[in-house]
Each structure stands twice: as structure tokens, then as C-alpha cells.
Amino acid sequence: MNRNMSKYAPFGWYLALIAAIGAVGYFIVKQTFDLPLQIMLGVIVLGIALAIIFDPQKIKDWLVGRQAKYSSNALVLVIAVLGIVVIINYIVNQNSPSWDLTEDNANTLAPELSDALQSLNQPLRAEAYFTQRYPSGTAEQLLDNMVKAGKGQFSYEFIDPEADPIRAQNAQVTRDGTIVFKLDDRSEQLTYVSEQEFLSAIIRLTNPGERIIYFLTGHGEYDPTGESDLTYSQFNQTLASKNYTVQKLNLISLAAVPENASAVVIAGPQQPLLESEIEAIKTYLSGGGSLVVFSEPYAVTGIDYDQDLLSSYLEHDWSILLGNDVIIDPNGNPPLVAIADSYSDHPITQKLSGYVTIFPTAHSVSSSVMPDSVSATILILTSNLAWGETDIASIEAGNPSFAEGADLIGPVPVAIASTNTATGARVVVVGDANFADDNQFTAYGNGDLAINIIDWVAEQENLISITPRAQTTRVLLPPGQLGLGLLLLGSVFVLPGLVIVGGVTTWLQRKRKG
């Protein structure tokens, strides 16, 4: 080979070295053997080949010379060390132990959730739809712990719904921070990150059962399967993603509520129910059924308050009073929009802390003296600035004002949940129907409220309770005057003094040695 060509051989080695460093760094970051990594490996081979072509004599000398003997020994040693490191790394990676050193085991799964994961006999996967803006640390930590407990039967992946909108749409995800659990062809959507929520979803998926929600029809109610803005199609889609089946129910033609009903929903009727329908609902609830009523103000529907058989039944059997008023809330825009100001400690609303719910054209829902077997909870209250306006003419004229003694003073109750302890029946009444329509479902916490109501009346909100953790209260106690003095002495005088003494001592010793 021409000596002039041999001077280019080092450049081949440099090229191979740079490509090798890039390949190692790229693999550490990406953890995948993709096209860019393959190109880098090709560049390494190309660099080595160029170095050999430009200076083959040097390679021959290295292979047969004295230096080759020592180099080969060093090479064998390096390969052995690298092999040991790779094997140890593989074993640790496949069997990575973890220890929870927190005092209250805050990083350990609840035993109930761990047992549910270990009992899985088929793969369960989770899809976490989080944008870059939405915090995902808590969800990722919990999902990581679930992977370890799942023994290979649980897996998860994070998906950015903005980067992959088609996949989010196929999963019927409408809210950032949604987690979808999937088992076979069934799925459960969650918008709250907690062990209890995850456990309930797993139990529902591994114990599939018929959960049918019937929406009453025949009185101008909201249509759960329609396509206009005044429908509940998004409500319906979310229920389907949680493994509910939505069907319509006409009690005018069908004399009784089907036995397979998990709940019956009456959403914004524009005409009064017939007496036969009320009797069918009463019979259904006496057997432990569940009823949800989304009621529009009488001023909106035009139903005669005194002739409303549904209102009379709710008052007589459940002590639930539908107000003949319209809520005026100065905080709303316009004031006809009632805004939730506080929630009760109830399974329906306890997860809504930090979320606003809004109710266009709502009326009050309160309770009177309860029968012995009925217990009720006011779920939602407006602010004390709102009131229940009974003078509808003043609203139409655009100048409503609170009238002492005639109007209901705020805070005004907007929703109530009742339970019959004797039969197990559950009833939820909300003084508004369009809070869950397609225009309002994704607004603030409206959709969560609607779904939580269905979960509660269908008795799906808490299949297994997780034992509460004992929380350890930690208080940072600042040091007293003596402690502060010792810190000052040590950091400002003692440590710098030791450094100075050490430096001076070293200087003197060197000076003596000349």
C-alpha cells in the first residue's frame, strides 16, 4: 500500500470511534434497535474497513508481532470483564428488587390491589392518555408498582392524545389524564388516579356481568343515542367505555321495568309521566332498583307543578322536593347558570374536589322529613349569593331579585342522593338535565358527575374497599438557639479553619524539605 495512503488510516479509526460513541449514547436514550442505530453500526464497520484498507501492514504487524501477545491478553481480560458486567446487568434488570423504606409504606401497593393483580389469568393492559402538560408522575409510579405485582400479566403505555388523536378517538377518550384498562374486548375508563379506582376497574373487568342502564322515553327526554347537540351521545359513549349497556325504555307500552335493569334514568322529560309509569317505577324501586332523575325547571318544561306525578311520588316516598323555581346565581354567566360551590362527602361527589360543575337553567332539589327507612344526602350546593327565584315573570323581564319569604335563600341545593335502607333502592335527583348533554358533558366536572351518579346507583363505585393506610404526620422542628449556634460554629469557623490549618501544615512541611 502506498505510504501516502497509510496516513489516512487513523481517520478510519476516528470515524469508527465517533460512530461507536454515538451508537452507545443513542441506544441508552432510545432503548431500541432502529434505523439510525443500524446506520451508526454500519459506519463503525466502514471506519474499521477504511483503516485496514489504507494501512494493512500495520494490522499484520499487530496480529503477528510481540505486542499482539500482550494486546490479546488485555483484550481477553476486557472481554471477560464486559461479559461479567453484561450478565450481572441482565440478571438485575430481569429481577430488579425494590424496597419501600418509607415509614408508612407509601410506595407499596395495597394488599387488595396486589392480590387482584397476582390472580390475573390473562393479560391486562392500561393505556394512559396524558399530554405533555398534564402531570403524570403519580400515575406512572402507581402503574410501575402494578407491573411488578402483576407477574407479567399487567402492562401499560403512555399515549399523548395530541400526538395520536386517532388512537384517543378510537378509545373514546375525551379528557386529558384518562386511563383505559383493557381486558379482552372489554374496557374501563378512569379519570382518577388511585388504588381504589384501579382495583374497582380490575374487579369489574375480571367479573363481567350485564349492566344495563335504561333511559326512559316517550316524554321528550334527552336521547342517549341521538346526534344533535341536545342529546346524551357523549354520556352514552362514556358509559359504553365503562362496560355499561345503554337501552331505551318506554313504560307506556311496557308495563314494568325489566328485571335486568341496573338503573333507570329519566332525563329532562317535557311531559308528565302517567300514573301507570309511576306505579311501574315504584314497583321497581320497592324491589331494590335504582332511579336517576335529571329534572328541568317547570318554567322551562311547561309541566304543571301541581299535576306532576313524578314530583309527588318523590316527595311522598323519598321526601325529595323539586322546587317550583329557577336558580339565579350572580356568579354564573348568565346568572341563569348555577355553579356548584361546595360538595358533600359522598361517593358521588368526593372525587370532584377541585372541579367546578355548572347547571344551566336549574331548579332547587331539597329534602323534607325523612321516613325511618330513607337516608338522604345533599350532594351539591351553590354559593350563598344564589337563590331560588319563584317570580318567573321577573326572569323573563330580565330583572330577577331575591324576595324574602317567597324565594329560597342560598346556598341552594342542586342535587340529592337517597337510599332506602330496607330495600336497598337508590335514588339520585339533579335539578338540571342539560348539564350532561353534548354541549356541557365535557365542561369542567360535569361528565364526571354524571358518570359518578350512574356508578353509584348501579352499585359499581366501590366493589372492594381498600384498607386505609395509617398516615404518618411528619413535622420539621427547627433547631433551637444552641443548635443554630453549633451549625454556625461548624460551617463558618470549624470547617474553614481545618482547611486553612491543613494548607498551612502542608506548606511548612514542603518548606522544611527545601
Side-chain angles (χ1 to χ4, degrees):
M1 177 62 64
N2 192 330
R3 291 182 178 272
N4 293 330
M5 297 294 293
S6 63
K7 64 181 181 180
Y8 296 112
F11 292 103
W13 296 114
Y14 297 153
L15 179 63
L17 178 61
I18 293 173
I21 295 173
V24 172
Y26 184 86
F27 183 76
I28 291 174
V29 173
K30 300 289 288 186
Q31 293 289 314
T32 181
F33 190 73
D34 54 7
L35 181 60
L37 182 59
Q38 296 173 20
I39 292 175
M40 293 180 193
L41 296 178
V43 172
I44 295 174
V45 175
L46 177 62
I48 295 174
L50 290 175
I52 295 174
I53 292 172
F54 288 147
D55 195 358
Q57 186 60 41
K58 188 170 184 180
I59 299 299
K60 293 179 181 178
D61 294 341
W62 183 82
L63 291 175
V64 299
R66 180 183 299 177
Q67 187 177 1
K69 177 180 178 181
Y70 301 105
S71 298
S72 60
N73 292 336
L75 180 62
V76 170
L77 181 61
V78 170
I79 293 175
V81 172
L82 288 176
I84 294 172
V85 171
V86 169
I87 293 173
I88 294 175
N89 183 70
Y90 177 80
I91 294 174
V92 172
N93 185 59
Q94 296 297 316
N95 305 275
S96 55
S98 60
W99 297 274
D100 187 356
L101 301 180
T102 59
E103 185 176 354
D104 51 7
N105 293 326
N107 298 316
T108 301
L109 286 182
E112 296 87 347
L113 179 55
S114 180
D115 292 343
L117 290 167
Q118 292 178 13
S119 64
L120 290 172
N121 54 18
Q122 52 187 320
L124 171 69
R125 65 187 185 279
E127 297 175 353
Y129 291 87
F130 286 71
T131 63
Q132 297 295 326
R133 301 182 303 276
Y134 201 92
S136 60
T138 301
E140 188 171 4
Q141 178 63 49
L142 181 53
L143 291 170
D144 279 337
N145 292 339
M146 292 174 65
V147 169
K148 296 174 184 176
K151 304 297 183 182
Q153 291 286 62
F154 178 76
S155 62
Y156 75 91
E157 63 175 318
F158 274 84
I159 302 166
D160 188 338
E162 294 179 345
D164 195 350
I166 295 178
R167 190 168 181 183
Q169 183 178 2
N170 291 338
Q172 300 179 350
V173 171
T174 59
R175 175 173 168 177
D176 198 358
T178 298
I179 299 177
V180 182
F181 283 86
K182 292 186 175 182
L183 186 70
D184 287 340
D185 58 345
R186 302 184 302 278
S187 64
E188 286 279 343
Q189 266 196 25
L190 301 175
T191 54
Y192 307 100
V193 177
S194 72
E195 290 181 305
Q196 179 64 65
E197 289 295 308
F198 287 9
L199 175 60
S200 296
I202 293 172
I203 296 299
R204 287 193 291 265
L205 287 172
T206 54
N207 296 273
E210 198 173 38
R211 294 186 290 158
I212 301 178
I213 308 299
Y214 285 97
F215 279 72
L216 193 67
T217 62
H219 316 86
E221 295 91 346
Y222 279 84
D223 186 356
T225 60
E227 296 181 355
S228 66
D229 288 339
L230 298 179
T231 62
Y232 280 175
S233 61
Q234 291 194 55
F235 191 7
N236 181 17
Q237 290 174 5
T238 306
L239 288 174
S241 71
K242 290 176 67 65
N243 212 30
Y244 286 103
T245 299
V246 172
Q247 295 185 10
K248 297 180 182 180
L249 173 65
N250 189 332
L251 286 177
I252 298 176
S253 60
L254 189 65
V257 176
E259 294 182 357
N260 62 356
S262 295
V264 173
V265 180
I266 305 175
Q270 303 298 305
Q271 297 292 331
L273 274 65
L274 301 178
E275 185 174 355
S276 60
E277 295 176 287
I278 298 298
E279 287 299 322
I281 292 173
K282 184 176 181 178
T283 301
Y284 167 66
L285 291 178
S286 65
S290 296
L291 175 68
V292 176
V293 178
F294 296 156
S295 173
E296 282 289 289
Y298 292 97
V300 174
T301 64
I303 297 176
D304 188 341
Y305 177 75
D306 296 325
Q307 301 299 320
D308 185 11
L309 298 179
L310 177 61
S311 174
S312 299
Y313 165 68
L314 291 173
E315 180 178 359
H316 182 269
D317 284 36
W318 292 88
S319 298
I320 297 175
L321 304 177
L322 298 179
N324 190 12
D325 54 24
V326 176
I327 297 176
I328 302 298
D329 191 345
N331 296 319
N333 184 21
L336 284 174
V337 178
I339 300 176
D341 184 70
S342 62
Y343 302 104
S344 66
D345 185 16
H346 189 275
I348 292 176
T349 51
Q350 66 185 2
K351 304 165 190 173
L352 292 175
S353 177
Y355 291 97
V356 170
T357 47
I358 59 175
F359 306 91
T361 60
H363 64 142
S364 62
V365 179
S366 56
S367 62
S368 60
V369 178
M370 292 283 140
D372 293 338
S373 60
V374 175
S375 61
T377 303
I378 298 294
L379 298 175
I380 301 171
L381 291 170
T382 67
S383 71
N384 55 9
L385 298 177
W387 73 90
E389 179 62 65
T390 57
D391 186 0
I392 306 304
S394 68
I395 298 176
E396 295 174 347
N399 57 356
S401 61
F402 177 73
E404 187 74 35
D407 297 334
L408 180 63
I409 190 172
V412 181
V414 184
I416 190 171
S418 296
T419 304
N420 188 312
T421 55
T423 64
R426 297 184 175 189
V427 173
V428 175
V429 180
V430 181
D432 183 43
N434 51 7
F435 83 97
D437 67 21
D438 287 352
N439 280 329
Q440 306 295 334
F441 186 80
T442 58
Y444 308 102
N446 283 23
D448 291 330
L449 173 62
I451 296 299
N452 291 350
I453 289 173
I454 298 299
D455 280 343
W456 185 74
V457 295
E459 301 184 24
Q460 297 291 314
E461 84 289 355
N462 191 16
L463 297 178
I464 296 180
S465 297
I466 287 180
T467 304
R469 298 180 187 271
Q471 299 294 329
T472 302
T473 303
R474 297 177 176 86
V475 180
L476 178 61
L477 298 177
Q481 188 64 36
L482 178 60
L484 290 174
L486 291 174
L487 287 174
L488 177 65
L489 178 64
S491 60
V492 177
F493 297 102
V494 175
L495 290 179
L498 291 175
V499 173
I500 293 173
V501 169
V504 171
T505 302
T506 302
W507 178 75
L508 290 175
Q509 289 177 347
R510 289 182 176 178
K511 187 176 181 181
R512 289 196 190 101
K513 293 179 180 179

